[in-house]
Each structure stands twice: as C-alpha cells, then as structure tokens.
Amino acid sequence: MDYQSLLSQFGIEPDQRINIGRYDAVYSKGIVYIMVPIEDREQNELIELHKLSNHLYAYGDQTIARFKQNKNQSYIGRIQDQSFVVLYNEHLRSINTSQIGRSLAEFHYRGKLFNEKVQVISRIGQWKELWEKRLDQMDQVWQKKLFAEPEEEFDRLFIESFPYFMGLAENAIQYLVDTELDDNPNAADAGTVCYQRFSRYLWEGDVCIKNPFDWVFDHAGRDIAEWVREHVQYHYRTYENGIRAFFREYQSLIPLSSFSWRLIFARLTFPLHYFEIVEDYYLSHSEHNKKLSEDRLNTLISRTSDYEEFIGRFYELAGAPVRSFNLPGLGWV
C-alpha cells in the first residue's frame, strides 16, 4: 500500500520503509512511525490504548510507541477508505532480555500505577469464560471430524489427541474456579498492562518498540505463564535454570501472592499451545503453513508426558512457597 497520503496528513517525510512486527512502518529523521489499520476497533478501545501508552511513557518506559496527532489534531488518518493511527517512538532503545524477569516486572509495575478504569481491553476475571468458549468451539469441530473420514493426516492426529487435551483444559478451568473460590487476590494482584500473548521475542533486537495494539489489561500472571510456556517449548529438557532465574528476577521487584501462583499454574495447565496449532491449521490456506502445523502437533503430542512432568514440578522449579501458601497441585500429575 502507498502510505504517502497518510504520512502527509501527519506531516511525516519518510526516509526509509521498514517493518515493525506485523505492521508497515517508516523511518524519518531518527523517529520510527508505525501505521496501524483500525477498521475493527471501537473508539473507546483506542482511547484506552492511547491513555495506557502515555501513562507507561510518563512513568519512564522509553520503548513505548505513542499515538501521533495529525495536522487536524486528530489521531486518525484515512487512505483508500481505510482508517489508520500512526504510532511513533523517537528513542529507539533496546531491552536487556538477559534479565527478562526483571524487565517484565518493571513493565507490570508501571502498568499497575494506572488509576483509571479499563473496560474494553480488560480481561480480568474472564479467563474461565474465554477458555470455556474456546474449548466448546474446538469440541464442535472435533465432533464433526469424528464422524467423517479423515481427509488428511492432521485430521487423524486431531481426532485422536483432542480428548486428552480437552481433559487438560477442563482440569485448568476447575483449578481456576477453585482458586477464585478458595483464595483472595491482594494488592499485588491488581490489573496491569499485559500482552495478548507475551513472548520474549517481542522485546529482543537492537531496538525494542512496545506496540499498544499488542496489549490487554489483565492479571500479570497472564504474561508470566506465557513466558514460561514459551521457554519450556524452546528449551526442551534444559528449561530449569531459566525458569528459576526468571522468577528470582521478577520477584526481586514484585513478590507473587498465593493467588498469583495459582493463576499462573492454571494458565500453564490450559493447553493454549495445542489450541493455537489446531486453529492455525484449519484457518490456513497455505499448504506450507499446514505442514508446519502438522509437524508442531506431532512434536507436541510426543512430549505430552514431559509436559505433565513439568506441570507436576512447576511450583518446585519456580521456587514457589508451596507449604506456607498451601498451593495445591493436580492429583494426576
């Protein structure tokens, strides 16, 4: 797409076209500008993201991308009947991902200081509902596949593996329900800025730019669990030291409550990585991507007993105070 008319609305003269994550961007006079299409975003969501990005920047995070106003003092520009916002970052800093636990805790700490109500992008207290919905949708797909001849090898793998992962998901949901019934959040469990799906790779590289359109407002356990999940996947059999260091670094700034530990455990038990592989396969139109999903599913299935072992050891590995917090495990792992 030719962004020239959009950029001119914001008074930007591009020096170079680049990509930042999944978005088109330009480099101009030492500043990075990111063009974000917003046709499916409601105005209140944009307002929340705008306020949160300003808040985090004001509290010292110079890697935040903020919203730029155009020449008409609006934050929205239009080209070819499409609406866009333009984000910018002028500092172009990197993050020390060798201490990712500490960096994530700092990000969460700043987010907890936001004192306005967040509604549209809030996911606090919604995990159970969202997980049940996702599980029901996949169960419906499985039921249809179950009574049809498998067309592809992936269909067979999905048909055979889903009951096991459905059981895992149901265990996670029950653990979450028990946590909300038995335990009470404290001040450390206040909502904060989180990622829809946190990954250390979002923050790696010579320049880190944190994009508000990657965010939700949630319990910090969301990001913590997703970091751990990814770390275990990519450091198969060698993840122990990394997990210990991560939790040591994180808790040097924000000690975790019993409620936090239990939310993290529930989220790790929920097989989000399995759901994503299946969804990616059935939504993809690319044979190459479908083959990648099939390979990923084969790998995941072959490692189920190892992941069960990890879940069974998680609290011990992470250094959780199991006895003083009376943290329950799962009986079958």
Side-chain angles (χ1 to χ4, degrees):
M1 180 177 284
D2 182 7
Y3 289 103
Q4 190 55 53
S5 65
L6 176 69
L7 295 170
S8 65
Q9 294 169 42
F10 288 84
I12 300 165
E13 297 176 7
D15 297 329
Q16 182 184 351
R17 286 279 295 268
I18 55 176
N19 292 101
I20 301 291
R22 64 188 185 277
Y23 296 110
D24 293 319
V26 296
Y27 190 70
S28 173
K29 299 179 176 62
I31 302 174
V32 167
Y33 297 97
I34 307 168
M35 284 76 77
V36 181
I38 57 162
E39 58 274 353
D40 57 345
R41 308 274 184 171
E42 60 176 277
Q43 187 176 8
N44 286 340
E45 179 183 1
L46 298 176
I47 291 170
E48 288 180 356
L49 294 174
H50 174 49
K51 286 181 176 180
L52 286 169
S53 62
N54 284 346
H55 165 82
L56 291 174
Y57 184 82
Y59 276 83
D61 191 339
Q62 295 187 334
T63 62
I64 299 296
R66 289 170 291 155
F67 287 63
K68 182 170 175 60
Q69 276 191 330
N70 64 22
K71 293 174 181 176
N72 298 320
Q73 279 69 57
S74 168
Y75 289 100
I76 297 175
R78 292 184 67 81
I79 50 169
Q80 299 173 9
D81 295 325
Q82 273 192 286
S83 296
F84 289 82
V85 296
V86 174
L87 304 173
Y88 72 101
N89 181 279
E90 69 273 50
H91 296 287
L92 310 186
R93 299 280 174 84
S94 62
I95 282 183
N96 180 10
T97 49
S98 66
Q99 289 193 315
I100 189 74
R102 177 77 186 189
S103 297
L104 185 60
E106 289 170 354
F107 180 71
H108 287 160
Y109 181 81
R110 291 181 173 115
K112 288 173 190 282
L113 298 174
F114 189 72
N115 57 14
E116 292 186 48
K117 191 167 179 61
V118 179
Q119 289 182 302
V120 182
I121 66 164
S122 177
R123 301 293 179 270
I124 292 172
Q126 296 179 26
W127 293 9
K128 175 179 178 286
E129 176 190 333
L130 293 169
W131 291 357
E132 286 177 337
K133 182 179 178 183
R134 205 160 183 178
L135 183 58
D136 288 345
Q137 288 171 339
M138 192 157 289
D139 187 31
Q140 289 169 20
V141 174
W142 181 73
Q143 296 283 356
K144 288 177 185 173
K145 297 285 181 187
L146 192 61
F147 297 106
E149 192 68 29
E151 296 176 17
E152 306 287 347
E153 173 64 8
F154 190 94
D155 294 328
R156 184 188 66 77
L157 290 170
F158 171 53
I159 290 166
E160 292 177 359
S161 63
F162 179 68
Y164 169 81
F165 288 99
M166 179 171 68
L168 259 189
E170 288 173 340
N171 272 270
I173 291 166
Q174 188 57 52
Y175 195 94
L176 179 65
V177 169
D178 291 345
T179 296
E180 291 174 343
L181 287 173
D182 300 343
D183 209 338
N184 292 309
N186 63 24
D189 296 299
T192 188
V193 183
C194 291
Y195 280 76
Q196 293 168 28
R197 185 72 186 274
F198 183 69
S199 164
R200 67 172 296 154
Y201 301 104
L202 289 166
W203 288 4
E204 285 188 334
D206 295 333
V207 173
C208 169
I209 298 178
K210 296 179 184 139
N211 188 325
F213 288 87
D214 292 335
W215 299 343
V216 290
F217 198 79
D218 205 344
H219 189 282
R222 179 192 190 103
D223 285 346
I224 295 170
E226 296 313 324
W227 181 89
V228 173
R229 189 195 308 275
E230 181 181 73
H231 184 78
V232 171
Q233 283 180 275
Y234 287 103
H235 298 274
Y236 183 57
R237 295 193 188 284
T238 61
Y239 52 72
E240 286 93 341
N241 288 340
I243 288 175
R244 289 189 189 100
F246 174 86
F247 280 96
R248 196 164 53 243
E249 290 165 18
Y250 190 95
Q251 292 194 99
S252 69
L253 183 61
I254 305 177
L256 295 170
S257 68
S258 60
F259 188 81
S260 291
W261 280 113
R262 291 174 72 167
L263 281 195
I264 293 164
F265 185 86
R267 194 171 184 95
L268 285 171
T269 303
F270 189 83
L272 186 62
H273 42 318
Y274 175 81
F275 281 71
E276 288 184 338
I277 291 170
V278 175
E279 288 162 357
D280 286 349
Y281 180 89
Y282 288 120
L283 291 172
S284 177
H285 300 294
S286 157
E287 287 306 316
H288 174 69
N289 290 343
K290 283 177 177 286
K291 185 69 176 77
L292 287 177
S293 293
E294 184 182 316
D295 292 344
R296 289 170 64 205
L297 184 57
N298 264 312
T299 300
L300 185 61
I301 291 169
S302 71
R303 294 180 179 178
T304 50
S305 59
D306 294 310
Y307 196 74
E308 278 184 30
E309 182 193 352
F310 159 70
I311 290 293
R313 296 177 57 215
F314 167 69
Y315 281 144
E316 172 203 343
L317 276 176
V322 176
R323 287 188 180 174
S324 58
F325 279 174
N326 194 25
L327 301 172
L330 289 172
W332 52 268
V333 295

